[in-house]
Structure formats: structure tokens, C-alpha cells
Amino acid sequence: MLKKLSVQNYALIDTLEIDFHAGFSSVTGETGAGKSIILGALSLILGQRADTKVIKDESKKSVIEGCFDVAAYHLEHFFEEQDLEYDDGICILRREIHSSGKSRAFINDTPVSLSQLRDLGERLIDIHSQYQNLLLGNDKFQLQVVDVWGHNEELRSQYKSEFGEYKSRRNRLQQLQEESTAWKKEEDYLRFQLTQLEEARLRDGEQEELEQEQDILAHAGEIKGELYAMSQQLSGDEDGNMLDSLKNVTDRARALLRIYPDLEESADRFHTLYIELKDIADEIVRHEDRIAVDPNRLTQVEERLDILYRLQQKHQVTTVKDLLEIQTQLQARLERIDTSDEEIAALEKELEVRYDRLLSLAGRLTASRNAAAADFSRQLEEKVRPLGMPNLRFEIELVLRPRIDETGAEQIRFLFSANKNQPLLPVSDTASGGEISRLMLGLKALLAHAVVLPSIIFDEVDTGVSGEIADKMGEIMRSMSQYMQVISITHLPQVASKGKYQYRVYKQDTDTTTRTCIKQLTDDERLAEIARMLSGSTLTEEAINNARSLLGENIGC
């Protein structure tokens, strides 16, 4: 329930702070006093979008804060999901609006998004206005009413979960069937492509090896000639080759050691160079022996490379590794084609089982909804007929759909007739605004007995009625307040007098401005306010007595 509302720098409000109570409270005041301004401020902490035009003094921010007792709403799981602190059942919603257009929202001093604020706000307060009466013609709202009355929450949750699984698998089946059809159209081509790749006996790294071998074979004569020339210079038969020259130098150096020992290090180095150069000469000879001018092998290598290049060009890749990946993908796709029929058959069988289970759950929902619809229709008629509609007939029709959907097997329609010999027609097509207001009041009054509803604010839903009907509407609101906090913004003394508490909204003029104020009325003030609502600005003794009669036990004077 709403415990306290604080508003600063909003529209005609400088500073406003008011406490609210459990039970039924009424809010009254002259037209234009600012009741809608207070309601607008409240809507901001329930997640509605803000307009910078509401800021009274643009040099300061506008702040609206509401303190709620949420102990009865079992919201611990919501706070845990949203990573918010749950403070022993007390929750503070705050909204700050800056003239720059920036807006910030908080839950228990933790910054939150507007959607988070709205999600929580919808669980705390239901602002029932003329606009909300449009819900009565909404089929989703109608279905929700029937399910709440029939206590179908668990059954509907089970059905919705099963339908989600069924739909997921149905979509998967459709995807498989489409894939299978598409793949089978190109199966022969896929197999041809795979055969080409498999017959090529691809090996990662082969292309690089062949390209290197091709380069050597294409220049074999030139390479072999150069190697021969190098071999001759190093160790050829002709005099003056490098090895013989180095051998001669080495021998001379060693001969000098006998008379010039300081040359020992140079002699050793000459010897080392001779051994290294001889090894190099032998290696050059081995390279020369390995190189062969082989036109046949060159042809084989070029033919193999041609196969690899053509496959790469065909599949628009540049390496054998890419071709091997494509080969693996083709194998997988063809395997899927080979097994898709079995998978489709298994999924079709599973869907049949799941659909039968859904039909069973839908049947149970239908039976429960039929019983709930009949009972709710009867009780709503009893609740609303005294509100000036003695010939009211109300019926909830369940129309079976061709196929079940996520809500069940039927569509719900609220049918209504206010007059004798008038056929039952959909509420949205036949009921007037005043009739819909009374239907919604009766509907919410019944639901208040069935579930824990958020606090409800009735925003002048009693417009257009008076006298005995207004008195009975007030009585309905008071009966609802046994189960929830009810606040009614009203111009009718019959409704206002039913509240346990009463607040008056009024304008106050200063030298420079006009501001909106609200105060909780004392018993004496309340008596005067109800008398004013009955007789106007001039309070008569008769009006005061009538006011005292209306207020009854709600005041002590």
C-alpha cells in the first residue's frame, strides 16, 4: 500500500508531503484544484514518461517520492531478480526530473531503468481511470479475469510451458523439413562435389611441397650446372682449386711452427677452414647428384598442381586446408540428408504426443473457464444491477478456435445487455462509458476477494452517476478496502463519505504564485467538506445534517 507521497517542484506544487492509510480513503476538491496534478506526479514514480514542462522552477529538479508497504505482495523474488535490496517490506520509489530533459529513477536508492520502475509500479498501484475502462473490451484482459476467478494460474502456467515446448519443436520440424527439401534438391550435386574432393586425396601442406618441387624441376639444368661449377672451383681436377690452395697454405703454416711457434693459432684455423671447406665441397657434390633433369616428373607435378588449383578456383578458396574443410562440411551435410528423414519422423511422433498432452491440458482449462465464466457472470450481475442497471445481463462466451494457441483452445468474449429485449453483444460494441465504468468497478470488486491486488486509485470513475447509485458505488469501494488499499478521487459526497479517511485538494494563492496543496481532513473539516459538496459554497443546516448522516460512523462528531 502507499504510505507516503512527497512531491517537490512539480507543476503547481512547491512542496507537498502527505501520509496515506490502509482501507478506503477519498480525495475531494474543486474542479481544477490540482487532483490530476497529484495523480500525474504519482504516475511518474510508477514509470510513466516525464515532460520537462511539469517542472515548476527550472533552476531546480523536480522530485517525486513514494513510500510503499510491500510486505503483502510477495515481491522478494522480483527484488532478487532485479538485484535490488528488499528492505523488510518497505519500498521507496523516487523519480528526479531535470530541466535539461534528463530523468533518473530509483528503487530503494538504487538507480534503475524506467522499465524496471514501471514493472514494479504496476505491482503496487492500479490507477483506474476512464481510459482503463477500455480494457474491458480487450480479449487478453477478459481471459485474464476468467483465469484469475477460476484460480487457473498453475494450470495455465503448465499449459503455457507445454505450448512453448511444442511450438519450439514445431518450428524445429518446419526448419528441418525446409532444409531437407532444399538439400535433397542439390543432393546429387553435393555428392558430385564430395566425390571430386575425395578422389583428389587431398593432404594439408601438399601444395607448398609441390610448388617448391616444381620450381626446382623447372630450373634443374641451371641448378645442376651452377653446382658443377661450384664443385670444380672447390675441388676440381684442375690445378688451383680452392681446396688444394687451402691445403698448401695449411701445410706451409704447420711447417713454420718448428721455427716460428707464434703461428700455431693461425695454423689451427687454416686446418679448421680446410676441413669445413672440404665438407662444403662434398655437400655440393651431393646436391648435384640429387638434382636430376626429369621432364616426366615435372609434368606429373604440374598436373597435380593443376588439379588442386582448379578445385580451389571452383570452391573459391586459396589453400588445400580450405578444401579439406569444405570436404568435411559436405560430408556433414550429406550425413544430415541421410539421417534427416529419421529425425523428421521422430520429431513428428514427439509432436503428436505433445499435442495430445496440450489438448488434454486445454480441455481442463476449458472446463475450468466455463465454470468460472458462469459463476463470475452471475456474481457480476448481482454486484452491478443495483448500480442503476436492473435489467443487466452479462455473459462470458467461450468461442473455440480452429487451433489451440498459447492461451488455450478458446477465445473469451464479454457479452452485455443493459435493457430488456436487447440481445447480448460484445461489451465494447454496446455499453456506454458509464455502464463500462460500473462494470469495471464490479469486476475489480469481485477480483479483490479472489487475489491480492495492488492498491487501487479510482480516478472519478463515478462521473455521471448520483444519488442512490453513487451511494452503492461508494459501498462497493468500501467493501473492496477490506482486502486492499482503495483511494477514490471523486466529486460525489455519497462516495467521499464512505471513506475512512478523506483528503482535500485545494489551491492557495500567494503574492506571486498559485500552488496546489492537499491535507487530510479532521472530523469537523470533513463534515464541512461533505456539506459543501451537497449544497455548494453556502453551508445550510440541512446540508450539515445530511453530511453527518452520510458520514455516519466515519466521524466522531
Side-chain angles (χ1 to χ4, degrees), residues 89-108:
I90 297 298
C91 176
I92 296 176
L93 307 186
R94 187 169 82 255
R95 189 81 176 275
E96 298 178 356
I97 304 157
H98 298 258
S99 58
S100 64
K102 182 179 179 182
S103 169
R104 301 181 70 195
F106 302 84
I107 297 176
N108 288 341

Side-chain angles (χ1 to χ4, degrees), residues 178-193:
E178 291 173 355
E179 287 178 353
S180 178
T181 300
W183 286 352
K184 284 182 177 179
K185 287 180 180 178
E186 58 177 349
E187 179 179 3
D188 290 342
Y189 181 59
L190 293 176
R191 292 197 185 279
F192 169 72
Q193 287 182 310

Side-chain angles (χ1 to χ4, degrees), residues 12-13 16 18 20 26-39 488-491 502-508 515-521 529 532:
L12 296 180
I13 299 173
L16 178 151
I18 190 74
F20 290 94
S26 60
V27 179
T28 59
E30 298 286 352
T31 299
K35 299 185 291 298
S36 61
I37 292 175
I38 295 174
L39 201 58
S488 177
I489 299 173
T490 181
H491 289 287
Q502 186 170 341
Y503 301 82
R504 180 170 176 263
V505 179
Y506 60 96
K507 283 183 178 177
Q508 188 177 68
R515 61 185 181 182
T516 289
C517 306
I518 184 173
K519 68 172 294 186
Q520 182 177 337
L521 301 180
E529 174 72 2
R532 182 195 60 76

